[in-house]
């Protein structure tokens, strides 16, 4: 399938440190990218998005970086807090094919 | 609370049966998306409707079908159920099609025995 969920990468960070979550997207035609956060027992929640005409976009404590050359997306979380513990998914889509493709997800664990 | 509602919250059924999952999008949202989340396949896009019409299709099996009604609520029908169909099924809605924030519902957990 387009989204492989067999092995969930995990990242453990100390509270207060910065977190970087990486994602390799699959389709060079994708022109819109989204990061979602999913807490245990809940549906995914939108964090931040970026269009392909941008390299960087900042939100509150979060920054998304896009490198189209190597089809790489990253999510940076500043001053990570225990409430940031969750699974983070990147997603890609394009008006040329409409469907949304999700990455496998990364589990972030914040150590108090 | 995202504003998207899904019913039922849990569903337990047997192989070969048919079930219907229901989704009510956020007020004003025209797009509805269906996703399946299982342990071995991750989060998979199934299908999208926009204002009553099918807009995009993902990894949706032929045994599955969906529709969006004039009041914009949507139903996902799963038939001839197999053990492997056990998963969380999420509905999401957005104001536009394709771009923009999607708001996810709490999901329906389907267990096929």
């Amino acid at each position: 399938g387009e989204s492989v969920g067999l092995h969930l990468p995990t990242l453990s960070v100390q509270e207060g440190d910065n977190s970087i979550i990486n994602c390799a997207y699959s389709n060079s035609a994708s022109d819109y990218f989204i990061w979602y956060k999913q807490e245990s027992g809940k549906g995914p929640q939108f964090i931040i998005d970026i269009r392909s005409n941008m390299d960087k976009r900042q939100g509150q404590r979060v920054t998304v970086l896009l490198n189209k050359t190597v089809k790489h997306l990253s999510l940076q979380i500043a001053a990570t807090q225990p409430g940031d513990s969750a699974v983070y998914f990147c997603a890609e889509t394009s008006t040329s094919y409409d469907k949304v493709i999700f990455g496998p997800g990364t589990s972030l664990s914040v150590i108090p | 609370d995202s504003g998207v509602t899904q019913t039922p919250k849990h569903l337990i059924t047997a192989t070969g049966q048919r079930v219907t999952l229901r989704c009510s999008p956020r007020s004003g949202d025209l797009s509805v998306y269906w996703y399946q989340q299982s342990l071995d396949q991750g989060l998979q896009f199934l299908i999208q409707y926009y204002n009553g019409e099918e807009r995009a299709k993902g990894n949706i099996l032929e045994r599955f079908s969906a529709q969006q009604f004039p009041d914009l609520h949507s139903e996902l029908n799963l038939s001839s159920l197999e053990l492997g169909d056990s998963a969380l099924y999420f509905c999401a809605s957005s104001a536009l099609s394709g771009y923009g924030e999607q708001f996810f519902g709490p999901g329906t957990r389907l267990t096929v025995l």
Side-chain angles (χ1 to χ4, degrees):
Chain A
E2 290 163 324
S3 175
V4 178
L6 296 174
H7 303 286
L8 195 64
T10 58
L11 176 67
S12 292
V13 297
Q14 205 73 36
E15 182 178 357
D17 286 352
N18 297 334
S19 304
I20 299 176
I21 300 171
N22 296 303
C23 174
Y25 64 91
S26 62
N27 196 323
S28 54
S30 294
D31 56 15
Y32 180 60
F33 306 88
I34 316 107
W35 279 100
Y36 287 94
K37 171 186 179 183
Q38 187 176 23
E39 295 174 279
S40 182
K42 296 184 179 179
Q45 180 185 6
F46 174 95
I47 302 173
I48 192 168
D49 60 359
I50 188 168
R51 295 188 185 233
S52 60
N53 60 353
M54 302 173 71
D55 297 323
K56 179 179 178 179
R57 188 158 190 233
Q58 286 183 291
Q60 228 182 4
R61 281 200 309 119
V62 294
T63 300
V64 55
L65 298 177
L66 174 63
N67 185 332
K68 295 181 286 294
T69 304
V70 294
K71 293 194 291 185
H72 184 266
L73 201 62
S74 69
L75 177 70
Q76 301 176 1
I77 304 174
T80 313
Q81 302 167 2
D84 295 326
S85 293
V87 176
Y88 290 80
F89 293 95
C90 65
E92 60 182 295
T93 188
S94 166
T95 51
S96 63
Y97 55 80
D98 276 336
K99 58 182 179 177
V100 183
I101 303 168
F102 279 81
T106 295
S107 177
L108 175 65
S109 179
V110 181
I111 306 162
Chain B
D1 184 1
S2 67
V4 178
T5 59
Q6 288 186 250
T7 56
K9 195 174 175 67
H10 299 279
L11 198 49
I12 301 174
T13 189
T15 54
Q17 295 298 305
R18 173 189 169 95
V19 296
T20 297
L21 312 183
R22 184 188 166 100
C23 167
S24 292
R26 285 190 330 152
S27 177
D29 283 357
L30 299 179
S31 268
V32 168
Y33 308 77
W34 284 100
Y35 296 90
Q36 179 193 60
Q37 187 173 39
S38 60
L39 285 175
D40 61 343
Q41 287 292 318
L43 197 58
Q44 298 269 347
F45 167 70
L46 295 178
I47 198 164
Q48 179 207 350
Y49 280 83
Y50 179 77
N51 203 20
E53 294 190 1
E54 183 184 304
R55 178 60 64 99
K57 230 172 184 175
N59 301 322
I60 188 165
L61 300 172
E62 284 190 13
R63 301 183 285 109
F64 296 0
S65 65
Q67 54 184 325
Q68 187 179 26
F69 295 87
D71 67 352
L72 301 176
H73 91 271
S74 178
E75 292 181 355
L76 179 67
N77 301 296
L78 315 176
S79 61
S80 303
L81 285 167
E82 302 175 359
L83 296 177
D85 297 327
S86 295
L88 265 171
Y89 291 84
F90 287 105
C91 166
S93 76
S94 68
L96 303 173
S97 175
Y99 293 97
E101 181 173 354
Q102 292 185 22
F103 295 86
F104 280 76
T108 293
R109 180 171 292 281
L110 174 66
T111 303
V112 183
L113 300 175

